[in-house]
Amino acid sequence: MRNIMKQGVCRIGILMIGGIIAGCVGLVPGADQVKITMHSDDVKGCTPVGNVSAQGFTDPIDIQRVLQNQAVGLGANIVFETVQGQGVAYRCGRPN
């Protein structure tokens, strides 16, 4: 019985580590279309719609996904990342 419990605990630990490594943040519909940029020229002529922040996240993929998800909620299609994990969401091109 103890061996079975040890095996179960080990499997759960491995699954938890795998989940942490793979990242935990999923994308909302349309978020995959949001561009992240660090070049101010990319948002010239665009309308700022709000600030976005992935404060508290450390994984680069999770940070990107959080910013993209927040941008969708603001109606934006591009994020100008001013510092890692923070930026301004913009709506560029024709209105949605």
Side-chain angles (χ1 to χ4, degrees):
M1 185 71 151
R2 277 197 173 164
N3 285 340
I4 292 172
M5 289 178 65
K6 283 183 183 179
Q7 289 174 351
V9 169
C10 287
R11 287 183 184 144
I12 290 171
I14 290 170
L15 288 174
M16 288 175 63
I17 291 169
I20 292 168
I21 291 171
C24 299
V25 178
L27 290 174
V28 299
D32 60 331
Q33 301 299 309
V34 174
K35 177 182 176 181
I36 307 286
T37 186
M38 294 183 83
H39 303 286
S40 59
D41 285 348
D42 291 343
V43 294
K44 271 190 179 171
C46 301
T47 304
V49 294
N51 295 324
V52 291
S53 174
Q55 185 175 356
F57 289 87
T58 57
D59 179 71
I61 293 171
D62 284 347
I63 290 170
Q64 178 178 331
R65 290 177 177 175
V66 168
L67 297 179
Q68 289 173 303
N69 287 342
Q70 290 178 6
V72 167
L74 294 169
N77 57 3
I78 188 167
V79 172
F80 174 53
E81 193 172 9
T82 53
V83 296
Q84 184 176 8
Q86 296 181 19
V88 180
Y90 288 84
R91 185 178 307 117
C92 300
R94 60 186 174 150
N96 294 340

